[in-house]
Amino acid sequence: MTTTDTRTLTGIPGYVAGTWSIDPVHSEVGFTVRHMMVSKVRGRFRTFSGQIVTGASPLDSAVTAEIDLSSIDTGNEQRDAHIRSADFFEVETYPTMTYRSTGVRADGDVYILDGKLTLKGVTRDVPLALEINGFGPDAYGGTRVGFTAIGEINRRDFGVNFTAVMETGGAVVSDKITIQLEIEAVLQS
């Protein structure tokens, strides 16, 4: 574990190399999808876990995460039950979604976290635009880190093929899903 300020090495104030556990109480795994061509529905998953390893260089870092698909919460239990069904996630057969990073790269002033997302038994490359929010001490004598990550997927790429068409011809649910992550993690070692 690096406990000194490595600003000159990484360009990130307070950067700490180490292994971190995602704190689900202070994190959110969410998404947005267009509904009926006129608005957006937001949802999140209440149960998830993961580990982040920050390397000596941010480009040597890695992430693994697992999301319990039955923990979907869109604010409407009827809709959530439908999303758990075979029309969408089919949680009885595929209870979890996983993400495993394959690399981190700089793209101008931002970092891109490249990785493999597995949903419904299908694995696809899903890059996430990564913002490093900061490293610092917590109120319990530990160290925390915060990240924001955003990406997009096409639900049909993962076998989520539910189709309902409105009388006007538009789709009830769009194919494009925006993923939004607010992650806070606690240093383990």
Side-chain angles (χ1 to χ4, degrees), residues 28-33 35 40-46 69-84 88-89 173 177:
E28 185 168 295
V29 175
F31 64 90
T32 306
V33 61
H35 182 253
K40 293 180 181 177
V41 170
R42 298 182 192 288
R44 65 186 181 131
F45 296 94
R46 292 187 175 275
L69 293 174
S70 69
S71 72
I72 183 85
D73 181 1
T74 65
N76 180 289
E77 185 51 45
Q78 183 178 0
R79 178 175 48 218
D80 295 346
H82 188 206
I83 294 170
R84 290 182 195 105
F88 290 93
F89 290 153
V173 178
I177 310 294

PDB file of all heavy atoms in Angstrom, residues 28-33 35 40-46 69-84 88-89 173 177:
ATOM      1  N   GLU A  28     -23.904   3.518  -5.791  1.00  0.00           N
ATOM      2  CA  GLU A  28     -25.130   3.266  -6.545  1.00  0.00           C
ATOM      3  C   GLU A  28     -24.788   2.712  -7.917  1.00  0.00           C
ATOM      4  O   GLU A  28     -23.907   3.228  -8.606  1.00  0.00           O
ATOM      5  CB  GLU A  28     -25.952   4.541  -6.688  1.00  0.00           C
ATOM      6  CG  GLU A  28     -27.289   4.285  -7.355  1.00  0.00           C
ATOM      7  CD  GLU A  28     -28.241   5.457  -7.256  1.00  0.00           C
ATOM      8  OE1 GLU A  28     -28.658   5.792  -6.131  1.00  0.00           O
ATOM      9  OE2 GLU A  28     -28.564   6.030  -8.313  1.00  0.00           O
ATOM     10  N   VAL A  29     -25.491   1.643  -8.291  1.00  0.00           N
ATOM     11  CA  VAL A  29     -25.398   1.046  -9.623  1.00  0.00           C
ATOM     12  C   VAL A  29     -26.751   1.300 -10.268  1.00  0.00           C
ATOM     13  O   VAL A  29     -27.761   0.715  -9.869  1.00  0.00           O
ATOM     14  CB  VAL A  29     -25.094  -0.467  -9.544  1.00  0.00           C
ATOM     15  CG1 VAL A  29     -25.135  -1.091 -10.925  1.00  0.00           C
ATOM     16  CG2 VAL A  29     -23.744  -0.696  -8.872  1.00  0.00           C
ATOM     17  N   GLY A  30     -26.779   2.215 -11.220  1.00  0.00           N
ATOM     18  CA  GLY A  30     -28.049   2.627 -11.807  1.00  0.00           C
ATOM     19  C   GLY A  30     -28.041   2.625 -13.314  1.00  0.00           C
ATOM     20  O   GLY A  30     -27.010   2.408 -13.964  1.00  0.00           O
ATOM     21  N   PHE A  31     -29.218   2.865 -13.869  1.00  0.00           N
ATOM     22  CA  PHE A  31     -29.376   2.907 -15.327  1.00  0.00           C
ATOM     23  C   PHE A  31     -30.523   3.834 -15.684  1.00  0.00           C
ATOM     24  O   PHE A  31     -31.371   4.168 -14.848  1.00  0.00           O
ATOM     25  CB  PHE A  31     -29.626   1.507 -15.888  1.00  0.00           C
ATOM     26  CG  PHE A  31     -30.919   0.899 -15.416  1.00  0.00           C
ATOM     27  CD1 PHE A  31     -32.098   1.080 -16.111  1.00  0.00           C
ATOM     28  CD2 PHE A  31     -30.953   0.155 -14.250  1.00  0.00           C
ATOM     29  CE1 PHE A  31     -33.284   0.537 -15.664  1.00  0.00           C
ATOM     30  CE2 PHE A  31     -32.134  -0.406 -13.789  1.00  0.00           C
ATOM     31  CZ  PHE A  31     -33.310  -0.208 -14.502  1.00  0.00           C
ATOM     32  N   THR A  32     -30.540   4.235 -16.951  1.00  0.00           N
ATOM     33  CA  THR A  32     -31.615   5.045 -17.509  1.00  0.00           C
ATOM     34  C   THR A  32     -31.995   4.451 -18.850  1.00  0.00           C
ATOM     35  O   THR A  32     -31.118   4.079 -19.637  1.00  0.00           O
ATOM     36  CB  THR A  32     -31.150   6.504 -17.707  1.00  0.00           C
ATOM     37  OG1 THR A  32     -30.646   7.006 -16.479  1.00  0.00           O
ATOM     38  CG2 THR A  32     -32.285   7.390 -18.192  1.00  0.00           C
ATOM     39  N   VAL A  33     -33.302   4.378 -19.114  1.00  0.00           N
ATOM     40  CA  VAL A  33     -33.801   3.869 -20.391  1.00  0.00           C
ATOM     41  C   VAL A  33     -34.965   4.748 -20.843  1.00  0.00           C
ATOM     42  O   VAL A  33     -35.768   5.189 -20.020  1.00  0.00           O
ATOM     43  CB  VAL A  33     -34.225   2.378 -20.285  1.00  0.00           C
ATOM     44  CG1 VAL A  33     -35.336   2.192 -19.277  1.00  0.00           C
ATOM     45  CG2 VAL A  33     -34.612   1.814 -21.629  1.00  0.00           C
ATOM     46  N   HIS A  35     -38.498   5.603 -22.268  1.00  0.00           N
ATOM     47  CA  HIS A  35     -39.791   4.922 -22.158  1.00  0.00           C
ATOM     48  C   HIS A  35     -40.831   5.664 -22.995  1.00  0.00           C
ATOM     49  O   HIS A  35     -40.967   6.877 -22.883  1.00  0.00           O
ATOM     50  CB  HIS A  35     -40.216   4.890 -20.684  1.00  0.00           C
ATOM     51  CG  HIS A  35     -41.499   4.186 -20.433  1.00  0.00           C
ATOM     52  ND1 HIS A  35     -42.652   4.854 -20.106  1.00  0.00           N
ATOM     53  CD2 HIS A  35     -41.808   2.872 -20.479  1.00  0.00           C
ATOM     54  CE1 HIS A  35     -43.621   3.975 -19.933  1.00  0.00           C
ATOM     55  NE2 HIS A  35     -43.139   2.769 -20.159  1.00  0.00           N
ATOM     56  N   LYS A  40     -37.722   9.271 -19.671  1.00  0.00           N
ATOM     57  CA  LYS A  40     -36.723   8.300 -19.251  1.00  0.00           C
ATOM     58  C   LYS A  40     -37.121   7.715 -17.907  1.00  0.00           C
ATOM     59  O   LYS A  40     -37.599   8.432 -17.030  1.00  0.00           O
ATOM     60  CB  LYS A  40     -35.342   8.953 -19.136  1.00  0.00           C
ATOM     61  CG  LYS A  40     -34.789   9.404 -20.456  1.00  0.00           C
ATOM     62  CD  LYS A  40     -33.434  10.049 -20.293  1.00  0.00           C
ATOM     63  CE  LYS A  40     -32.921  10.501 -21.648  1.00  0.00           C
ATOM     64  NZ  LYS A  40     -31.631  11.189 -21.515  1.00  0.00           N
ATOM     65  N   VAL A  41     -36.921   6.411 -17.782  1.00  0.00           N
ATOM     66  CA  VAL A  41     -37.147   5.729 -16.517  1.00  0.00           C
ATOM     67  C   VAL A  41     -35.778   5.415 -15.934  1.00  0.00           C
ATOM     68  O   VAL A  41     -34.888   4.943 -16.644  1.00  0.00           O
ATOM     69  CB  VAL A  41     -37.963   4.427 -16.720  1.00  0.00           C
ATOM     70  CG1 VAL A  41     -37.991   3.603 -15.440  1.00  0.00           C
ATOM     71  CG2 VAL A  41     -39.368   4.759 -17.179  1.00  0.00           C
ATOM     72  N   ARG A  42     -35.623   5.675 -14.665  1.00  0.00           N
ATOM     73  CA  ARG A  42     -34.374   5.384 -13.968  1.00  0.00           C
ATOM     74  C   ARG A  42     -34.592   4.206 -13.038  1.00  0.00           C
ATOM     75  O   ARG A  42     -35.674   4.019 -12.489  1.00  0.00           O
ATOM     76  CB  ARG A  42     -33.905   6.596 -13.173  1.00  0.00           C
ATOM     77  CG  ARG A  42     -33.619   7.787 -14.057  1.00  0.00           C
ATOM     78  CD  ARG A  42     -33.117   8.980 -13.277  1.00  0.00           C
ATOM     79  NE  ARG A  42     -33.124  10.181 -14.090  1.00  0.00           N
ATOM     80  CZ  ARG A  42     -32.292  10.435 -15.083  1.00  0.00           C
ATOM     81  NH1 ARG A  42     -31.385   9.550 -15.404  1.00  0.00           N
ATOM     82  NH2 ARG A  42     -32.356  11.555 -15.766  1.00  0.00           N
ATOM     83  N   GLY A  43     -33.538   3.437 -12.881  1.00  0.00           N
ATOM     84  CA  GLY A  43     -33.592   2.310 -11.968  1.00  0.00           C
ATOM     85  C   GLY A  43     -32.233   2.098 -11.348  1.00  0.00           C
ATOM     86  O   GLY A  43     -31.239   2.714 -11.744  1.00  0.00           O
ATOM     87  N   ARG A  44     -32.210   1.213 -10.374  1.00  0.00           N
ATOM     88  CA  ARG A  44     -30.947   0.880  -9.724  1.00  0.00           C
ATOM     89  C   ARG A  44     -31.043  -0.537  -9.183  1.00  0.00           C
ATOM     90  O   ARG A  44     -32.116  -1.139  -9.139  1.00  0.00           O
ATOM     91  CB  ARG A  44     -30.631   1.858  -8.612  1.00  0.00           C
ATOM     92  CG  ARG A  44     -31.604   1.815  -7.469  1.00  0.00           C
ATOM     93  CD  ARG A  44     -31.295   2.914  -6.471  1.00  0.00           C
ATOM     94  NE  ARG A  44     -32.203   2.857  -5.355  1.00  0.00           N
ATOM     95  CZ  ARG A  44     -31.825   2.894  -4.100  1.00  0.00           C
ATOM     96  NH1 ARG A  44     -30.544   3.008  -3.797  1.00  0.00           N
ATOM     97  NH2 ARG A  44     -32.697   2.846  -3.128  1.00  0.00           N
ATOM     98  N   PHE A  45     -29.896  -1.035  -8.789  1.00  0.00           N
ATOM     99  CA  PHE A  45     -29.816  -2.352  -8.172  1.00  0.00           C
ATOM    100  C   PHE A  45     -29.428  -2.135  -6.716  1.00  0.00           C
ATOM    101  O   PHE A  45     -28.462  -1.427  -6.418  1.00  0.00           O
ATOM    102  CB  PHE A  45     -28.794  -3.222  -8.892  1.00  0.00           C
ATOM    103  CG  PHE A  45     -29.197  -3.509 -10.313  1.00  0.00           C
ATOM    104  CD1 PHE A  45     -28.744  -2.716 -11.346  1.00  0.00           C
ATOM    105  CD2 PHE A  45     -30.064  -4.554 -10.606  1.00  0.00           C
ATOM    106  CE1 PHE A  45     -29.131  -2.955 -12.656  1.00  0.00           C
ATOM    107  CE2 PHE A  45     -30.467  -4.801 -11.914  1.00  0.00           C
ATOM    108  CZ  PHE A  45     -29.995  -4.003 -12.939  1.00  0.00           C
ATOM    109  N   ARG A  46     -30.174  -2.760  -5.817  1.00  0.00           N
ATOM    110  CA  ARG A  46     -29.933  -2.568  -4.391  1.00  0.00           C
ATOM    111  C   ARG A  46     -28.824  -3.460  -3.834  1.00  0.00           C
ATOM    112  O   ARG A  46     -28.225  -3.142  -2.810  1.00  0.00           O
ATOM    113  CB  ARG A  46     -31.213  -2.814  -3.609  1.00  0.00           C
ATOM    114  CG  ARG A  46     -32.270  -1.769  -3.860  1.00  0.00           C
ATOM    115  CD  ARG A  46     -33.453  -1.972  -2.920  1.00  0.00           C
ATOM    116  NE  ARG A  46     -34.419  -0.902  -3.071  1.00  0.00           N
ATOM    117  CZ  ARG A  46     -34.343   0.267  -2.452  1.00  0.00           C
ATOM    118  NH1 ARG A  46     -33.352   0.520  -1.646  1.00  0.00           N
ATOM    119  NH2 ARG A  46     -35.267   1.176  -2.639  1.00  0.00           N
ATOM    120  N   LEU A  69     -29.438  -9.344  -9.918  1.00  0.00           N
ATOM    121  CA  LEU A  69     -30.479  -8.807 -10.792  1.00  0.00           C
ATOM    122  C   LEU A  69     -31.851  -8.783 -10.140  1.00  0.00           C
ATOM    123  O   LEU A  69     -32.697  -7.963 -10.502  1.00  0.00           O
ATOM    124  CB  LEU A  69     -30.522  -9.589 -12.099  1.00  0.00           C
ATOM    125  CG  LEU A  69     -29.282  -9.428 -12.985  1.00  0.00           C
ATOM    126  CD1 LEU A  69     -29.350 -10.358 -14.188  1.00  0.00           C
ATOM    127  CD2 LEU A  69     -29.111  -7.983 -13.425  1.00  0.00           C
ATOM    128  N   SER A  70     -32.088  -9.637  -9.160  1.00  0.00           N
ATOM    129  CA  SER A  70     -33.394  -9.626  -8.485  1.00  0.00           C
ATOM    130  C   SER A  70     -33.568  -8.384  -7.618  1.00  0.00           C
ATOM    131  O   SER A  70     -34.679  -8.068  -7.201  1.00  0.00           O
ATOM    132  CB  SER A  70     -33.591 -10.891  -7.650  1.00  0.00           C
ATOM    133  OG  SER A  70     -32.720 -10.906  -6.546  1.00  0.00           O
ATOM    134  N   SER A  71     -32.485  -7.639  -7.386  1.00  0.00           N
ATOM    135  CA  SER A  71     -32.563  -6.446  -6.539  1.00  0.00           C
ATOM    136  C   SER A  71     -32.931  -5.188  -7.331  1.00  0.00           C
ATOM    137  O   SER A  71     -32.834  -4.077  -6.811  1.00  0.00           O
ATOM    138  CB  SER A  71     -31.238  -6.240  -5.798  1.00  0.00           C
ATOM    139  OG  SER A  71     -30.218  -5.799  -6.677  1.00  0.00           O
ATOM    140  N   ILE A  72     -33.410  -5.355  -8.560  1.00  0.00           N
ATOM    141  CA  ILE A  72     -33.818  -4.223  -9.401  1.00  0.00           C
ATOM    142  C   ILE A  72     -34.849  -3.369  -8.672  1.00  0.00           C
ATOM    143  O   ILE A  72     -35.746  -3.897  -8.007  1.00  0.00           O
ATOM    144  CB  ILE A  72     -34.380  -4.720 -10.754  1.00  0.00           C
ATOM    145  CG1 ILE A  72     -34.739  -3.548 -11.677  1.00  0.00           C
ATOM    146  CG2 ILE A  72     -35.607  -5.591 -10.582  1.00  0.00           C
ATOM    147  CD1 ILE A  72     -33.605  -3.053 -12.463  1.00  0.00           C
ATOM    148  N   ASP A  73     -34.708  -2.060  -8.779  1.00  0.00           N
ATOM    149  CA  ASP A  73     -35.649  -1.134  -8.155  1.00  0.00           C
ATOM    150  C   ASP A  73     -35.845   0.062  -9.076  1.00  0.00           C
ATOM    151  O   ASP A  73     -34.959   0.894  -9.211  1.00  0.00           O
ATOM    152  CB  ASP A  73     -35.125  -0.689  -6.798  1.00  0.00           C
ATOM    153  CG  ASP A  73     -36.062   0.267  -6.071  1.00  0.00           C
ATOM    154  OD1 ASP A  73     -37.149   0.596  -6.606  1.00  0.00           O
ATOM    155  OD2 ASP A  73     -35.700   0.695  -4.966  1.00  0.00           O
ATOM    156  N   THR A  74     -37.023   0.119  -9.711  1.00  0.00           N
ATOM    157  CA  THR A  74     -37.364   1.261 -10.556  1.00  0.00           C
ATOM    158  C   THR A  74     -38.424   2.143  -9.907  1.00  0.00           C
ATOM    159  O   THR A  74     -38.929   3.060 -10.529  1.00  0.00           O
ATOM    160  CB  THR A  74     -37.876   0.801 -11.939  1.00  0.00           C
ATOM    161  OG1 THR A  74     -39.112   0.092 -11.758  1.00  0.00           O
ATOM    162  CG2 THR A  74     -36.855  -0.055 -12.661  1.00  0.00           C
ATOM    163  N   GLY A  75     -38.776   1.806  -8.660  1.00  0.00           N
ATOM    164  CA  GLY A  75     -39.800   2.567  -7.965  1.00  0.00           C
ATOM    165  C   GLY A  75     -41.210   2.066  -8.240  1.00  0.00           C
ATOM    166  O   GLY A  75     -42.179   2.672  -7.793  1.00  0.00           O
ATOM    167  N   ASN A  76     -41.328   0.942  -8.967  1.00  0.00           N
ATOM    168  CA  ASN A  76     -42.643   0.377  -9.278  1.00  0.00           C
ATOM    169  C   ASN A  76     -42.518  -1.144  -9.225  1.00  0.00           C
ATOM    170  O   ASN A  76     -41.883  -1.738 -10.103  1.00  0.00           O
ATOM    171  CB  ASN A  76     -43.104   0.849 -10.657  1.00  0.00           C
ATOM    172  CG  ASN A  76     -44.454   0.295 -11.034  1.00  0.00           C
ATOM    173  OD1 ASN A  76     -44.598  -0.895 -11.310  1.00  0.00           O
ATOM    174  ND2 ASN A  76     -45.449   1.166 -11.067  1.00  0.00           N
ATOM    175  N   GLU A  77     -43.103  -1.768  -8.206  1.00  0.00           N
ATOM    176  CA  GLU A  77     -42.937  -3.208  -8.008  1.00  0.00           C
ATOM    177  C   GLU A  77     -43.467  -4.023  -9.184  1.00  0.00           C
ATOM    178  O   GLU A  77     -42.875  -5.038  -9.555  1.00  0.00           O
ATOM    179  CB  GLU A  77     -43.600  -3.652  -6.700  1.00  0.00           C
ATOM    180  CG  GLU A  77     -43.374  -5.111  -6.369  1.00  0.00           C
ATOM    181  CD  GLU A  77     -41.918  -5.588  -6.420  1.00  0.00           C
ATOM    182  OE1 GLU A  77     -41.035  -4.892  -5.892  1.00  0.00           O
ATOM    183  OE2 GLU A  77     -41.669  -6.663  -7.006  1.00  0.00           O
ATOM    184  N   GLN A  78     -44.563  -3.611  -9.795  1.00  0.00           N
ATOM    185  CA  GLN A  78     -45.102  -4.349 -10.952  1.00  0.00           C
ATOM    186  C   GLN A  78     -44.099  -4.342 -12.111  1.00  0.00           C
ATOM    187  O   GLN A  78     -43.829  -5.361 -12.731  1.00  0.00           O
ATOM    188  CB  GLN A  78     -46.434  -3.755 -11.390  1.00  0.00           C
ATOM    189  CG  GLN A  78     -47.081  -4.513 -12.530  1.00  0.00           C
ATOM    190  CD  GLN A  78     -48.437  -3.914 -12.916  1.00  0.00           C
ATOM    191  OE1 GLN A  78     -48.900  -2.937 -12.346  1.00  0.00           O
ATOM    192  NE2 GLN A  78     -49.064  -4.530 -13.904  1.00  0.00           N
ATOM    193  N   ARG A  79     -43.527  -3.183 -12.381  1.00  0.00           N
ATOM    194  CA  ARG A  79     -42.517  -3.077 -13.441  1.00  0.00           C
ATOM    195  C   ARG A  79     -41.276  -3.885 -13.074  1.00  0.00           C
ATOM    196  O   ARG A  79     -40.708  -4.593 -13.907  1.00  0.00           O
ATOM    197  CB  ARG A  79     -42.161  -1.612 -13.689  1.00  0.00           C
ATOM    198  CG  ARG A  79     -41.077  -1.429 -14.740  1.00  0.00           C
ATOM    199  CD  ARG A  79     -40.810   0.025 -15.085  1.00  0.00           C
ATOM    200  NE  ARG A  79     -40.656   0.868 -13.922  1.00  0.00           N
ATOM    201  CZ  ARG A  79     -41.126   2.109 -13.843  1.00  0.00           C
ATOM    202  NH1 ARG A  79     -41.788   2.654 -14.846  1.00  0.00           N
ATOM    203  NH2 ARG A  79     -40.934   2.821 -12.755  1.00  0.00           N
ATOM    204  N   ASP A  80     -40.862  -3.823 -11.806  1.00  0.00           N
ATOM    205  CA  ASP A  80     -39.682  -4.570 -11.372  1.00  0.00           C
ATOM    206  C   ASP A  80     -39.891  -6.071 -11.555  1.00  0.00           C
ATOM    207  O   ASP A  80     -38.988  -6.779 -12.009  1.00  0.00           O
ATOM    208  CB  ASP A  80     -39.346  -4.255  -9.917  1.00  0.00           C
ATOM    209  CG  ASP A  80     -38.930  -2.810  -9.706  1.00  0.00           C
ATOM    210  OD1 ASP A  80     -38.645  -2.106 -10.704  1.00  0.00           O
ATOM    211  OD2 ASP A  80     -38.903  -2.374  -8.543  1.00  0.00           O
ATOM    212  N   ALA A  81     -41.081  -6.566 -11.219  1.00  0.00           N
ATOM    213  CA  ALA A  81     -41.383  -7.992 -11.402  1.00  0.00           C
ATOM    214  C   ALA A  81     -41.323  -8.360 -12.884  1.00  0.00           C
ATOM    215  O   ALA A  81     -40.816  -9.433 -13.245  1.00  0.00           O
ATOM    216  CB  ALA A  81     -42.762  -8.323 -10.823  1.00  0.00           C
ATOM    217  N   HIS A  82     -41.806  -7.479 -13.753  1.00  0.00           N
ATOM    218  CA  HIS A  82     -41.738  -7.742 -15.197  1.00  0.00           C
ATOM    219  C   HIS A  82     -40.287  -7.781 -15.673  1.00  0.00           C
ATOM    220  O   HIS A  82     -39.905  -8.638 -16.469  1.00  0.00           O
ATOM    221  CB  HIS A  82     -42.538  -6.690 -15.967  1.00  0.00           C
ATOM    222  CG  HIS A  82     -42.673  -6.998 -17.417  1.00  0.00           C
ATOM    223  ND1 HIS A  82     -42.858  -6.023 -18.362  1.00  0.00           N
ATOM    224  CD2 HIS A  82     -42.628  -8.169 -18.104  1.00  0.00           C
ATOM    225  CE1 HIS A  82     -42.930  -6.583 -19.566  1.00  0.00           C
ATOM    226  NE2 HIS A  82     -42.783  -7.882 -19.433  1.00  0.00           N
ATOM    227  N   ILE A  83     -39.457  -6.875 -15.173  1.00  0.00           N
ATOM    228  CA  ILE A  83     -38.042  -6.845 -15.569  1.00  0.00           C
ATOM    229  C   ILE A  83     -37.319  -8.106 -15.092  1.00  0.00           C
ATOM    230  O   ILE A  83     -36.424  -8.605 -15.768  1.00  0.00           O
ATOM    231  CB  ILE A  83     -37.350  -5.562 -15.044  1.00  0.00           C
ATOM    232  CG1 ILE A  83     -37.943  -4.337 -15.740  1.00  0.00           C
ATOM    233  CG2 ILE A  83     -35.845  -5.618 -15.277  1.00  0.00           C
ATOM    234  CD1 ILE A  83     -37.516  -3.013 -15.140  1.00  0.00           C
ATOM    235  N   ARG A  84     -37.732  -8.666 -13.963  1.00  0.00           N
ATOM    236  CA  ARG A  84     -37.126  -9.914 -13.467  1.00  0.00           C
ATOM    237  C   ARG A  84     -37.533 -11.121 -14.320  1.00  0.00           C
ATOM    238  O   ARG A  84     -36.854 -12.145 -14.294  1.00  0.00           O
ATOM    239  CB  ARG A  84     -37.538 -10.164 -12.015  1.00  0.00           C
ATOM    240  CG  ARG A  84     -36.924  -9.211 -11.021  1.00  0.00           C
ATOM    241  CD  ARG A  84     -37.344  -9.552  -9.588  1.00  0.00           C
ATOM    242  NE  ARG A  84     -37.046  -8.468  -8.698  1.00  0.00           N
ATOM    243  CZ  ARG A  84     -37.944  -7.630  -8.186  1.00  0.00           C
ATOM    244  NH1 ARG A  84     -39.224  -7.779  -8.443  1.00  0.00           N
ATOM    245  NH2 ARG A  84     -37.556  -6.648  -7.400  1.00  0.00           N
ATOM    246  N   PHE A  88     -37.208  -9.918 -19.792  1.00  0.00           N
ATOM    247  CA  PHE A  88     -36.033  -9.067 -19.634  1.00  0.00           C
ATOM    248  C   PHE A  88     -34.850  -9.871 -19.068  1.00  0.00           C
ATOM    249  O   PHE A  88     -34.088 -10.453 -19.812  1.00  0.00           O
ATOM    250  CB  PHE A  88     -36.355  -7.849 -18.757  1.00  0.00           C
ATOM    251  CG  PHE A  88     -37.263  -6.864 -19.427  1.00  0.00           C
ATOM    252  CD1 PHE A  88     -38.638  -6.933 -19.259  1.00  0.00           C
ATOM    253  CD2 PHE A  88     -36.756  -5.864 -20.242  1.00  0.00           C
ATOM    254  CE1 PHE A  88     -39.482  -6.025 -19.883  1.00  0.00           C
ATOM    255  CE2 PHE A  88     -37.582  -4.954 -20.883  1.00  0.00           C
ATOM    256  CZ  PHE A  88     -38.961  -5.040 -20.695  1.00  0.00           C
ATOM    257  N   PHE A  89     -34.684  -9.894 -17.730  1.00  0.00           N
ATOM    258  CA  PHE A  89     -33.490 -10.475 -17.126  1.00  0.00           C
ATOM    259  C   PHE A  89     -33.536 -11.985 -16.923  1.00  0.00           C
ATOM    260  O   PHE A  89     -32.503 -12.614 -16.812  1.00  0.00           O
ATOM    261  CB  PHE A  89     -33.195  -9.826 -15.771  1.00  0.00           C
ATOM    262  CG  PHE A  89     -32.726  -8.396 -15.848  1.00  0.00           C
ATOM    263  CD1 PHE A  89     -32.963  -7.536 -14.787  1.00  0.00           C
ATOM    264  CD2 PHE A  89     -32.042  -7.911 -16.943  1.00  0.00           C
ATOM    265  CE1 PHE A  89     -32.525  -6.226 -14.831  1.00  0.00           C
ATOM    266  CE2 PHE A  89     -31.608  -6.608 -16.998  1.00  0.00           C
ATOM    267  CZ  PHE A  89     -31.847  -5.761 -15.933  1.00  0.00           C
ATOM    268  N   VAL A 173     -40.006   0.531 -24.918  1.00  0.00           N
ATOM    269  CA  VAL A 173     -38.718   0.576 -24.225  1.00  0.00           C
ATOM    270  C   VAL A 173     -37.617   0.652 -25.282  1.00  0.00           C
ATOM    271  O   VAL A 173     -37.561  -0.173 -26.185  1.00  0.00           O
ATOM    272  CB  VAL A 173     -38.507  -0.686 -23.354  1.00  0.00           C
ATOM    273  CG1 VAL A 173     -37.154  -0.643 -22.674  1.00  0.00           C
ATOM    274  CG2 VAL A 173     -39.617  -0.831 -22.334  1.00  0.00           C
ATOM    275  N   ILE A 177     -29.425   1.572 -23.303  1.00  0.00           N
ATOM    276  CA  ILE A 177     -29.459   1.713 -21.845  1.00  0.00           C
ATOM    277  C   ILE A 177     -28.201   2.477 -21.429  1.00  0.00           C
ATOM    278  O   ILE A 177     -27.092   2.114 -21.822  1.00  0.00           O
ATOM    279  CB  ILE A 177     -29.445   0.331 -21.153  1.00  0.00           C
ATOM    280  CG1 ILE A 177     -30.494  -0.609 -21.730  1.00  0.00           C
ATOM    281  CG2 ILE A 177     -29.578   0.497 -19.641  1.00  0.00           C
ATOM    282  CD1 ILE A 177     -31.922  -0.216 -21.512  1.00  0.00           C
TER     283      ILE A 177
END
